Structures are given as structure tokens and as C-alpha cells.
Amino acid sequence: MTDEVTVAAGESVQQVLDAAGPGATIRLAEGHYPGNLWIRHGGVTLLGAGADATVITPGEARPVQLPPLHDAPPNVVSGIGIHGDGVRDVRVEGLTVRGFTGAGIYVHSASDVHIEDVHAVGNAVWGIYLRESGGLQVLRCKASGSQYAGIGISFCPAAQAHIDQCETYANAFGVFVDNSSFVKVLRSASHGNAAGVLLLNQTYAGELPGGVSDCLVADNDIYANTLASGGNPEGLGAAGPPISGVGLSMIGTTRVTAVGNRIRGHHPGGPSVMGAAVVVGSSKEWGGADPFDNYLLWNEVLDNAPVDIAVADGIPSQHLANNTAASTAPEKIDGCTAPEAP
């Protein structure tokens, strides 16, 4: 088989993927492609005709060898799984993956994975979920309507991840950096979630060690994340505590810098363990750590309730400068200034 193959709607993409093997480029023509896919070879490129043109939807479930999906019931099906012995240098671009019971795209134990111009819509558990992997790029993607994160990066201690120009909405968490380090979230929009961007260092029973460090959250529009999640055995964010009205949360993080973000319009739509649009707090009670050496610089945090910025009392080594915020907890925080009256 040649190194580049074009597949038409109605043909089996999985058969082509399996036959092509490592290093192949598979082009999907415009149309609908029912059934889940498994990329298990390195060097594979899967190219659609554009997110509005090539759509992957559920069909007869094909057998795959993927690790169980985190926080998911057994036997869920993810749209595109990327996993295999030594899988690296995989590219998925220009398509929509919609309506699967697991994740839209599920990457596990892979490296150098590039996901671009992908829409993950209405996938039950996760939108784009990357776990125990590194060298990750998620560019110009949209992710909406998932029980947990639109874009989630979990247990990637050296993620070297770059999330850029993405949009996440109608999820429990827009972007979730879960026990992962070296992640950049840039020039993206997160709105209509329970929490816009959540970075969390927490230890889970039976899971890998936690930690979130050396991340950058810059030049994002984070607004109106007012959904309610958690605190309920079923539904949005079921496995976590109640969260609502949170724009940016840095919990137990180390050397995380948030700079130049616009964070507005957060009003809790239900109970929340985090009482501000921007929260810097400890995760020690969840097996994590106190936040250390984090930076909040030049952020515009306005029109939020109950307060704009909250930093945990008695936690040293947090660095704030040139932030615009009308209300804070504690009431006065160096580096936060209310806007001038018109």
C-alpha cells in the first residue's frame, strides 16, 4: 500500500489504518464515518477535509486495546484512540468527532501527538483527553458538551504540551491540567463551563504521583463559566466536589504563571468549593500540596461574584503584580488594583 491513501465516506477507515501501518497518511474525504478508530502505529497522519466537512460518529463498536478511560464507566467507546507500543509522531487534523460514550479523542502513552482543527462535540466523558504522554499540541480545536474536561491533560509529568487558539464550552472544566507539568494554555477562549481553566495537583488512590509545575496560562479570554458541576453522583463533573463560577484555578501548583488573561462574568450557578473567579489555593487536604512560587501578572479580572481574586491566607511565595480586580479575598492583596472610575 502507498504511503498516502484517500478514504471515501462509506469505506472502512480502520481497515486502511491497519493495512497502512507506520508512517502512513490517511486522507478522509468529506462525509460521515460511523465507528470508532484506533491509531496504534507511529508516524500516522489522519487528515479530514475540515472540521465542518469530515465527521466521525458512533457506529458498531470496534475492538481496541486502550487502557480504561479515567472517570468513565466500563465499556464506553472513544471516537479516536491513540495508543500502542512506542506510538509517537501522530497527527490528527481537520475533522469532527461527535457523540461517543467515552472521549472524542483519547491519547494514552504516546509522544509527539499533534491535534489541530478538531471539533470534539458531545462526547460523554471527555472531549480531547491526553494521559501519560508527552510532546503534545492541541491547536485551533473546539471541545464542548463533556462531563469532565473539554481538553484534559492528566498524569503527564513532562507533558511539553501546547494548547493554543482553542475554544472550550459547556463542559465541567474547559481546560483541565490534572497532575501534569510543562503545559502552555495560550490565546484560547473558555466560556460556559463550570470552571474555565483548572490546574490541579491532587493524589488519587491507585493513580500515579501528582504534581503541577512550570505551566503558563497567557492571553486567554475566560468568561461566564457559570455552569454547576460536581457534588452529585451523576451528571456534570460527577467525580469531583461542587464547582461553579470559576475562571482560573491554580490548586497546589508550583511555578505556574498566569499573565495577560481577561477573566470576566463569573457568577456561580450552584454551590462551589471555590469562591472566586481566580483562585490560588492549597490541595493538601486532597493529598496535594500548598501552592508555591506562582505568578499572577497583568490579568484583567472584573465583573465577577462573589469576588474577583482569592489567594489562600498564610501561603507565602505567591507573586502578584499589575492585576486589575475590583474585589479580592483577603480584601487587600498587593499587586491587585481596582479599575479607575470612569
Side-chain angles (χ1 to χ4, degrees):
M1 182 170 285
T2 61
D3 289 338
E4 182 169 318
V5 183
T6 297
V7 182
E11 298 179 337
S12 173
V13 181
Q14 189 64 56
Q15 287 183 4
V16 174
L17 282 169
D18 292 341
T25 294
I26 312 299
R27 292 187 177 273
L28 306 184
E30 182 174 346
H32 282 73
Y33 295 80
N36 57 305
L37 302 175
W38 177 24
I39 298 175
R40 57 191 179 94
H41 299 298
V44 168
T45 297
L46 184 66
L47 296 177
D52 296 327
T54 299
V55 183
I56 296 172
T57 56
E60 182 178 354
R62 301 183 178 99
V64 298
Q65 295 178 20
L66 296 172
L69 186 64
H70 187 58
D71 279 335
N75 302 319
V76 299
V77 177
S78 295
I80 300 175
I82 301 173
H83 174 71
D85 191 18
V87 168
R88 63 181 302 133
D89 192 24
V90 171
R91 186 181 188 99
V92 177
E93 183 175 346
L95 54 82
T96 288
V97 56
R98 183 175 67 209
F100 286 87
T101 56
I105 296 182
Y106 177 24
V107 178
H108 196 298
S109 308
S111 59
D112 301 326
V113 176
H114 183 107
I115 301 171
E116 184 171 353
D117 186 31
V118 167
H119 293 183
V121 181
N123 300 288
V125 186
W126 302 87
I128 298 171
Y129 184 57
L130 309 105
R131 181 182 167 112
E132 298 176 47
S133 299
L136 308 170
Q137 291 188 313
V138 183
L139 309 179
R140 291 176 286 282
C141 293
K142 293 184 180 182
S144 63
S146 293
Q147 184 178 1
Y148 294 105
I151 300 172
I153 298 180
S154 291
F155 296 101
C156 300
Q160 299 298 339
H162 186 186
I163 300 169
D164 200 339
Q165 300 175 68
C166 292
E167 182 181 8
T168 54
Y169 56 96
N171 311 283
F173 320 122
V175 176
F176 185 22
V177 180
D178 174 24
N179 293 288
S180 298
S181 298
F182 303 98
V183 177
K184 295 179 181 179
V185 184
L186 309 175
R187 294 179 289 270
S188 295
S190 186
H191 58 95
N193 308 284
V197 179
L198 170 62
L199 299 98
L200 175 63
N201 166 15
Q202 178 179 349
T203 299
Y204 301 88
E207 287 284 11
L208 299 171
V212 176
S213 68
D214 301 287
C215 297
L216 174 65
V217 181
D219 195 20
N220 298 286
D221 287 297
I222 304 171
Y223 60 95
N225 291 287
T226 59
L227 293 184
S229 78
N232 189 316
E234 297 180 0
L236 202 65
I243 296 175
S244 183
V246 177
L248 170 63
S249 183
M250 299 155 56
I251 307 299
T253 60
T254 297
R255 294 187 302 277
V256 169
T257 297
V259 57
N261 299 287
R262 297 160 294 280
I263 303 170
R264 288 179 171 265
H266 293 90
H267 306 274
S272 181
V273 296
M274 303 179 195
V278 174
V279 179
V280 180
S282 176
S283 60
K284 289 185 75 172
E285 64 179 295
W286 304 320
D290 286 334
F292 178 74
D293 204 22
N294 299 292
Y295 289 78
L296 288 173
L297 310 171
W298 296 101
N299 299 287
E300 180 185 89
V301 190
L302 294 170
D303 304 322
N304 305 288
V307 297
D308 292 321
I309 298 176
V311 179
D313 283 331
I315 303 294
S317 299
Q318 309 306 310
H319 313 283
L320 288 80
N322 299 304
N323 299 288
T324 301
S327 58
T328 62
E331 188 172 347
K332 180 173 176 53
I333 299 177
D334 290 342
C336 297
T337 304
E340 295 182 4

